[in-house]
Amino acid sequence: MPMIERRGPAVTVLAYDGMSVFELGIVTEVFGLPRPEFDRPWYDLTICAETPGPVRVVGGATLHTEHGLDVFAAAGTLIVPGVADVRADPSPALVAALRAAHARGARVMSICSGAFALAGAGLLDGRRATTHWRYAEALRTRHPRVHVDADVLYLDDGDVLTSAGSAAGLDLCLHVVRRDHGPSIANAVARRLVVQPHRDGGQAQFIEAPVTDDPADDRLARSMAWALGNLATPITVEVLARRAHMSSRTYLRHFARATGTTPIRWLIDQRVHASLALLETTGSPIEEVAAAVGFDSPVTFRHHFTRAMRTSPSAYRRAFGRA
């Protein structure tokens, strides 16, 4: 008997005139390429447009799709990778498609300026959402009912997910794979893409800043590398500053300029990130995990983990730990 191809969950992405193919490529790479190495149906991706036919993209090329908003709205996961103009309202047809899909339980996602389409459809009202840092103030002004968080790479609010600009869409797509299939498969996809399964920090580290040839930057980098190798030990600003041969005040200034955050905030994020692998792959008690990554108590660990991951360490382990 001939083998019957198992079709995975339907994902649709919306193409539009004037778009960059980068965001579309992210979605295609994660959800569209076959993954025969996994013994399970992969996603079934369809590229759609508001009007079926040719779609002009940046660079003078044209792609063609025969699928319109009816197919777009019928999927289990809908992705809006951007909008042509953040100052314009989404079309009534797109608003209706997004609302109908969401009402029947679909998962709706945006990348970069795509958040403006979701906001225009009312799907972000009363929710935390993000977009490219360049558009954050415009989103906040045009849609005051949206709680805009411009410092994160992506936000998962269950049935509605938003990401920051461009490459952060890859972080969000990998997060969705992780949510759907677990950390092992998400990590395998990330390796195929030659990217990290999870990036640390928020958008602040990418906001435009003057480029310098300051040798202090090398000393700063070395101190951060040392910290990453010694997370289980007590680390203070003073310790890091001594490693960089700076005063604490000078170190704080250079650190903020280079990363957009503080050394302590960065350390907490690194410790939370380091704990993920322990929660996923070991059965160590939470107290031991907390100590292994440098938190002085399980209570402190739980507090910072929940703030960063929007779930508790125990719940994370249940969702992503090995069976």
Side-chain angles (χ1 to χ4, degrees):
M1 293 179 60
M3 291 186 61
I4 299 175
E5 182 181 357
R6 296 182 296 168
R7 297 173 71 88
V11 177
T12 52
V13 59
L14 188 69
Y16 58 92
D17 277 340
M19 75 180 303
S20 164
V21 294
F22 180 75
E23 290 85 355
L24 183 65
I26 287 172
V27 175
T28 303
E29 188 77 24
V30 174
F31 299 113
L33 289 185
R35 305 286 176 182
E37 65 270 33
F38 303 138
D39 184 24
R40 64 186 66 194
W42 199 240
Y43 302 93
D44 183 16
L45 177 69
T46 303
I47 299 173
C48 304
E50 288 201 41
T51 303
V55 179
R56 296 182 298 273
V57 298
V58 171
T62 301
L63 63 85
H64 187 281
T65 177
E66 60 188 38
H67 306 292
L69 288 178
D70 54 339
V71 175
F72 178 66
T77 298
L78 289 69
I79 304 174
V80 182
V83 296
D85 185 353
V86 299
R87 297 163 297 183
D89 293 328
S91 70
L94 177 56
V95 167
L98 289 169
R99 287 177 177 172
H102 182 256
R104 65 167 176 77
R107 178 168 58 188
V108 183
M109 299 167 50
S110 68
I111 297 173
C112 195
S113 62
F116 285 81
L118 273 58
L123 302 188
L124 301 183
D125 287 355
R127 298 177 185 256
R128 291 176 68 231
T130 193
T131 185
H132 194 292
W133 57 265
R134 291 182 62 189
Y135 304 137
E137 190 55 40
L139 182 62
R140 191 177 288 115
T141 300
R142 294 198 62 217
H143 301 281
R145 297 184 65 185
V146 180
H147 305 303
V148 180
D149 187 343
D151 188 44
V152 296
L153 295 177
Y154 62 84
L155 284 168
D156 180 347
D157 199 24
D159 55 347
V160 177
L161 302 90
T162 55
S163 86
S166 298
L170 184 54
D171 297 281
L172 177 59
C173 290
L174 287 172
H175 167 75
V176 169
V177 172
R178 186 186 192 94
R179 200 174 99 172
D180 291 348
H181 298 287
S184 296
I185 286 182
N187 292 348
V189 173
R191 284 193 295 272
R192 279 273 299 271
L193 295 170
V194 199
V195 297
Q196 292 175 304
H198 174 80
R199 281 196 296 167
D200 301 303
Q203 292 195 75
Q205 61 189 307
F206 302 110
I207 296 175
E208 294 170 355
V211 176
T212 72
D213 295 322
D214 191 341
D217 291 342
D218 288 336
R219 302 201 302 271
L220 182 71
R222 287 196 296 271
S223 73
M224 294 170 74
W226 174 85
L228 289 175
N230 294 272
L231 289 176
T233 64
I235 302 174
T236 63
V237 173
E238 290 74 21
V239 168
L240 292 170
R242 284 197 299 272
R243 284 273 165 182
H245 304 289
M246 300 180 192
S247 69
S248 296
R249 185 174 180 179
T250 300
Y251 187 86
L252 286 167
R253 185 173 68 251
H254 282 285
F255 198 99
R257 186 193 66 192
T259 68
T261 189
T262 68
I264 298 305
R265 180 75 268 154
W266 177 81
L267 269 172
I268 289 170
D269 289 343
Q270 301 310 308
R271 284 171 165 151
V272 168
H273 178 57
S275 74
L276 299 181
L278 297 177
L279 293 170
E280 292 168 9
T281 61
T282 76
S284 300
I286 297 299
E287 292 77 7
E288 291 183 12
V289 173
V293 297
F295 287 105
D296 56 8
S297 75
V299 173
T300 303
F301 173 49
R302 289 187 181 96
H303 168 76
H304 290 299
F305 190 98
T306 301
R307 179 199 61 81
M309 303 300 294
R310 306 295 170 187
T311 189
S312 69
S314 296
Y316 181 90
R317 170 174 275 165
R318 286 194 297 272
F320 299 119
R322 62 186 182 186

